[in-house]
């Protein structure tokens, strides 16, 4: 409306303020009053009212901006309070810096004092790969000036500013990104500058003191996030060291307990003079017969006498069940056992009959043999413990000291730089120690990690080896043993990744009801992918990556066309109706999809994979 009196103009100004009008609209009221020919005194009142209205609007705008800045700082503080992912917090801070300062690019760099370098940690709004990956010597560029003085610095025109040291790497990356105006503030922890937070524009501009203060506040939050992450890492390392110490102490205590028991039980053996051949010879002399000692697999360990002898499986089972020596057509058999575990057997020949005293002596020889075999196994277990600790450290902290891991492997005769397949073995109601012992013959390195038995084996066909191990151990343990495998891979990082894949494979096998079998993820297809808690985003990228990248690069709608095509049951007419385009457009898009995904993309198997990836893409995008 056109004001006819001063009070009408004032009323209109108040209405415009309430509606959030722009400064131009407020100024237009005074222009309209002047055009209406108001008297000079009323016109002066209108001009004054318009000036006040503009000031009120500026104050409101400043308050809104300040409120947005405070909200961002509160949100950042809230992120720090529930810190789980340091990178996520830093990305959020850099993104907020770009939004609040209304700049084209924001980024954060960190110093590496050991290497004497500064590297890019997080960027937002950057389009240059060179800029995102730049690494600089300490003190270069505007960031070097900020780090040296621990004070904020801003430049209206970076390339025309001679206050800081220009070098080819930093100038090339800034030029490639197209930056002109740059503001940098220090990230400081305990008075020490650890990095710099930047806000930059691709055109010349000045940064106000309020903007410098805001970016400095965000930099302080970023420094807190980095410091907290360091403290969390130190705490985790300390806890890991404590766990290792506790495990070592527990192992030593268990070893002392076993040693005390073995001392008492081995007294009789010590009185007789000591090892398996000597015990066999002494018993054979007392009983006037031949003695043969076998392990649990039937392998001969010691023999006295020339009569043929072997571990009769049925007789060993009978002696094990009764706890007494049993007679056979060829002599006598005594089970060598510790508790319910079978360690081996003794066979006495050339004595068809035994008196009670001789029989007890024969059985006593079985106890002594059990003690000696247990001692032998204790030595083997000690070596297995060392191997198991290496495997645990390899999978738990591969980056802590890779060189030490390689050296420890060399001492055990295992070159971790070679190619290995990784197998994960699991079974209910079977002790992990039994599984480790039984599975050791298939591996160059075996141990227990995360309550599962892990094997490193030299094989180019992990799928076949997993099936063979599952079948063999299931038979040995009298219980289904499930084996997941991955590889072959080389290097410490590759072994860690293969272990993760093998764990997923075990979970998939169990979820599919294939308990007691062995396989690899590649043998399970996409069903194993879903049931094994695999990386769904990676699956989507592998299946639809070319289409997604084409759409992102060209701004096309190939993905939407693909969804409509499958929704329409591969009917072109229905698909074009869903897309609201001409059928020729649908045909052209499908041809482009075929060139990206391959000519076989419509075969039943590929089509199923693609439709699954489409659904997963929508789920992960949501």
């Amino acid at each position: 409306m056109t004001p006819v009196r001063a009070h009408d103009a004032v009323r209109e100004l108040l209405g415009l303020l309430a509606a959030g009008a722009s400064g131009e609209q407020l100024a237009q009221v005074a222009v309209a009053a002047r055009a209406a020919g108001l008297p000079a005194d009323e016109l002066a009142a209108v001009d004054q009212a318009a000036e006040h209205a503009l000031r009120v609007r500026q104050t409101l705008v400043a308050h809104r901006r300040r409120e947005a800045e405070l909200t961002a700082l509160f949100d950042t503080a809230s992120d720090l309070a529930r810190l789980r992912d340091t990178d996520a917090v830093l990305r959020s801070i850099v993104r907020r810096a770009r939004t609040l300062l209304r700049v084209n690019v924001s980024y954060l760099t960190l110093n590496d004092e050991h290497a004497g370098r500064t590297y890019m940690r997080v960027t937002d709004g950057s389009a240059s790969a060179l800029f995102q990956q730049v690494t600089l010597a300490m003190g270069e560029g505007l960031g070097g000036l900020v780090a040296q003085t621990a004070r904020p610095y801003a430049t209206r025109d970076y390339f025309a500013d001679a206050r800081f040291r220009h070098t080819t790497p930093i100038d090339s990356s800034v030029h490639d990104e197209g930056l002109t105006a740059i503001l940098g503030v220090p990230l400081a922890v305990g008075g020490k500058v650890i990095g710099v937070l930047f806000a930059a524009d691709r055109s010349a501009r000045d940064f106000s003191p309020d903007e410098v203060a805001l970016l400095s506040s965000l930099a302080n939050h970023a420094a807190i996030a980095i410091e907290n992450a360091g403290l969390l890492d130190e705490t985790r390392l300390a806890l890991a060291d404590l766990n290792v110490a506790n495990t070592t102490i527990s192992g030593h205590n268990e070893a002392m307990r076993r040693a005390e028991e073995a001392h008492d039980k081995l007294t009789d053996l010590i009185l007789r003079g000591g090892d398996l051949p000597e015990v066999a010879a002494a018993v054979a002399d007392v009983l006037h017969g031949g003695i043969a000692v076998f392990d649990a697999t039937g392998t001969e360990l010691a023999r006295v006498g020339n009569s043929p002898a072997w571990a009769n499986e049925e007789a060993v089972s009978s002696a094990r069940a009764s706890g007494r020596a049993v007679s056979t057509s060829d002599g006598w058999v005594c089970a060598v056992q510790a508790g319910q575990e079978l360690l081996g057997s003794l066979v006495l020949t050339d004595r068809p009959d035994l008196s009670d005293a001789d029989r007890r002596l024969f059985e006593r020889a079985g106890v002594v043999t059990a003690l000696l075999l247990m001692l032998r196994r204790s030595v083997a277990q000690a070596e297995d413990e060392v191997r198991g600790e290496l495997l645990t450290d390899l999978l738990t902290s591969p980056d802590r000291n890779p060189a030490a891991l390689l050296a420890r492997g060399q001492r055990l005769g295992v070159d971790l730089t070679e190619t290995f397949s990784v197998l994960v073995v699991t079974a209910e109601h079977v002790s992990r120690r039994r599984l480790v012992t039984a599975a050791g013959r298939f591996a160059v390195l075996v141990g227990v990690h995360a309550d599962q038995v892990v094997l490193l084996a030299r094989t180019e066909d992990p799928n076949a080896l997993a099936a063979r191990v599952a079948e063999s151990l299931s038979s040995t343990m009298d219980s289904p043993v499930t084996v997941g495998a991955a590889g072959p891979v080389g290097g410490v990082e590759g072994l860690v990744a293969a272990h993760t894949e093998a764990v997923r494979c075990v979970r998939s096998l169990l979820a599919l009801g294939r308990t007691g079998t062995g396989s690899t993820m590649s043998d399970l297809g996409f069903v194993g992918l879903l049931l094994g808690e695999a990386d769904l985003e990676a699956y989507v990228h592998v299946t639809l990556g070319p289409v997604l990248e084409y759409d992102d690069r060209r701004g096309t709608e190939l993905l939407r066309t693909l969804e409509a095509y499958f929704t329409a049951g591969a009917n072109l007419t229905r698909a074009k109706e869903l897309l609201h385009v001409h059928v020729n457009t649908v045909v052209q898009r499908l041809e482009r999809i075929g060139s990206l995904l391959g000519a076989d993309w419509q075969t039943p198997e590929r089509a199923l994979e693609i439709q699954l990836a489409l659904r997963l893409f929508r789920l992960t995008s949501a």
Side-chain angles (χ1 to χ4, degrees):
M1 85 181 206
T2 302
V4 295
R5 304 292 297 177
H7 63 270
D8 293 329
V10 172
R11 187 183 302 111
E12 183 176 1
L13 285 170
L14 291 174
L16 290 172
L17 277 176
S22 66
E24 183 180 351
Q25 289 174 305
L26 294 174
Q28 189 64 36
V29 174
V31 174
R34 187 172 287 104
L38 291 181
D41 57 339
E42 292 189 16
L43 187 60
V46 171
D47 287 339
Q48 186 177 18
E51 183 180 351
H52 290 330
L54 287 171
R55 290 177 181 174
V56 170
R57 181 187 178 278
Q58 290 173 355
T59 301
L60 290 174
V61 170
H63 285 174
R64 291 193 191 100
R65 184 176 65 250
R66 187 56 180 166
E67 181 181 359
E69 293 172 356
L70 289 174
T71 299
L73 292 176
F74 285 139
D75 289 344
T76 302
S78 178
D79 289 344
L80 289 174
R82 57 177 183 271
L83 177 65
R84 293 295 182 272
D85 185 345
T86 305
D87 287 339
V89 175
L90 295 181
R91 284 195 298 269
S92 175
I93 290 172
V94 172
R95 184 171 60 253
R96 286 170 183 154
R98 181 189 175 202
T99 301
L100 293 175
L101 271 68
R102 298 179 296 282
V103 293
N104 300 128
V105 180
S106 59
Y107 53 100
L108 185 150
T109 63
L110 291 180
N111 299 334
D112 185 347
E113 292 187 350
H114 296 292
R117 311 290 290 175
T118 297
Y119 64 95
M120 189 72 70
R121 176 68 183 271
V122 184
T123 65
D124 191 76
S126 171
S128 166
L130 175 63
F131 184 77
Q132 295 167 17
Q133 300 172 7
V134 65
T135 301
L136 309 170
M138 300 285 282
E140 292 181 356
L142 184 144
L145 183 61
V146 173
Q148 287 175 346
T149 62
R151 295 174 56 190
Y153 275 90
T155 177
R156 176 180 177 83
D157 187 344
Y158 173 84
F159 291 100
D161 199 328
R163 289 177 299 169
F164 43 83
R165 183 158 58 97
H166 289 267
T167 62
T168 299
I170 182 62
D171 284 4
S172 298
S173 62
V174 171
H175 182 272
D176 194 55
E177 188 62 60
L179 301 180
T180 300
I182 302 176
L183 166 63
V185 297
L187 298 174
V189 175
K192 176 183 177 182
V193 177
I194 63 172
V196 181
L197 178 61
F198 296 89
D201 253 333
R202 295 191 172 93
S203 58
R205 64 168 286 184
D206 294 316
F207 292 95
S208 68
D210 288 343
E211 290 175 321
V212 174
L214 174 60
L215 192 63
S216 296
S217 297
L218 291 172
N220 290 337
H221 283 86
I224 293 172
I226 294 170
E227 183 179 24
N228 287 348
L231 293 175
L232 287 174
D233 288 341
E234 290 178 5
T235 302
R236 293 190 187 101
L237 290 175
L239 289 175
D241 290 341
L242 285 175
N243 288 335
V244 171
N246 287 335
T247 301
T248 302
I249 291 172
S250 298
H252 289 166
N253 289 339
E254 179 65 15
M256 289 177 63
R257 186 187 64 81
R258 289 197 306 267
E260 290 174 357
E261 292 179 355
H263 175 76
D264 294 336
K265 294 179 180 179
L266 288 175
T267 300
D268 198 46
L269 174 63
I270 294 172
L271 293 174
R272 286 177 171 79
D275 57 12
L276 281 176
E278 292 171 339
V279 169
V283 174
D285 183 60
V286 170
L287 296 177
H288 306 290
I291 290 288
V293 183
F294 300 90
D295 66 11
T297 65
T299 301
E300 184 179 298
L301 302 177
R303 170 187 288 272
V304 175
N306 298 319
S307 299
W310 62 89
N312 184 294
E313 196 171 276
E314 183 178 349
V316 172
S317 298
S318 176
R320 181 184 182 188
S322 64
R324 300 297 307 275
V326 297
S327 176
T328 68
S329 59
D330 300 312
W332 292 82
V333 174
C334 176
V336 178
Q337 56 187 351
Q340 296 300 314
E341 182 180 2
L342 181 67
L343 301 177
S345 58
L346 286 180
V347 176
L348 174 63
T349 61
D350 302 326
R351 284 294 304 270
D353 299 310
L354 280 180
S355 64
D356 289 341
D358 285 348
R359 186 175 179 180
R360 284 194 298 271
L361 177 59
F362 184 47
E363 292 166 354
R364 181 62 176 173
V367 174
V368 173
T369 304
L371 291 172
L372 293 176
L373 291 179
M374 288 292 289
L375 283 176
R376 275 190 173 186
R377 193 170 69 175
S378 293
V379 174
Q381 285 178 349
E383 182 178 349
D384 288 343
E385 288 291 340
V386 175
R387 291 174 173 269
E389 288 174 4
L390 171 61
L391 191 60
T392 298
D393 291 345
L394 170 66
L395 299 177
T396 303
S397 304
D399 298 326
R400 183 185 299 175
N401 194 339
L405 291 175
L406 295 176
R408 288 165 61 187
Q410 291 287 354
R411 287 196 294 271
L412 294 173
V414 180
D415 186 355
L416 294 177
T417 62
E418 294 181 357
T419 299
F420 297 93
S421 291
V422 180
L423 283 71
V424 174
V425 181
T426 185
E428 290 186 359
H429 313 303
V430 178
S431 73
R432 298 299 176 262
R433 177 53 57 193
R434 286 189 65 198
L435 280 177
V436 166
T437 302
R441 55 196 174 97
F442 297 100
V444 297
L445 197 62
V446 60
V448 178
H449 178 69
D451 201 36
Q452 292 176 321
V453 175
V454 182
L455 286 71
L456 263 60
R458 291 189 178 93
T459 177
E460 294 299 321
D461 190 354
N463 192 59
L465 179 60
R468 182 156 58 91
V469 171
E471 179 181 3
S472 175
L473 295 185
S474 295
S475 174
T476 303
M477 301 291 122
D478 293 327
S479 180
V481 177
T482 309
V483 183
V489 295
V492 173
E493 292 183 359
L495 293 174
V496 174
H499 170 259
T500 302
E501 182 178 338
V503 170
R504 291 202 302 267
C505 183
V506 165
R507 292 174 179 167
S508 299
L509 291 171
L510 297 175
L512 290 168
R514 291 176 57 177
T515 303
T517 64
S519 184
T520 57
M521 286 296 291
S522 61
D523 191 48
L524 300 179
F526 71 87
V527 175
L529 171 78
L530 295 177
L531 296 177
E533 301 179 8
D535 188 342
L536 300 183
E537 291 187 5
Y539 175 76
V540 170
H541 180 74
V542 169
T543 308
L544 298 176
V547 173
L548 294 171
E549 293 171 1
Y550 191 90
D551 277 353
D552 288 341
R553 190 170 61 252
R554 302 292 183 87
T556 54
E557 294 188 335
L558 297 185
L559 188 71
R560 182 166 169 259
T561 302
L562 198 56
E563 290 179 312
Y565 179 70
F566 285 120
T567 301
N571 185 298
L572 294 177
T573 302
R574 290 178 58 195
K576 67 101 174 175
E577 292 174 352
L578 292 173
L579 295 168
H580 303 292
V581 297
H582 194 275
V583 67
N584 290 339
T585 301
V586 178
V587 172
Q588 292 171 0
R589 291 180 180 179
L590 293 179
E591 289 176 352
R592 174 60 62 185
I593 290 171
S595 68
L596 294 171
L597 298 183
D600 64 338
W601 72 275
Q602 296 190 70
T603 61
E605 183 177 353
R606 285 291 308 281
L608 178 60
E609 297 276 356
I610 292 170
Q611 291 180 70
L612 173 63
L614 287 170
R615 289 181 177 271
L616 292 177
F617 175 75
R618 292 306 176 198
L619 288 173
T620 54
S621 297

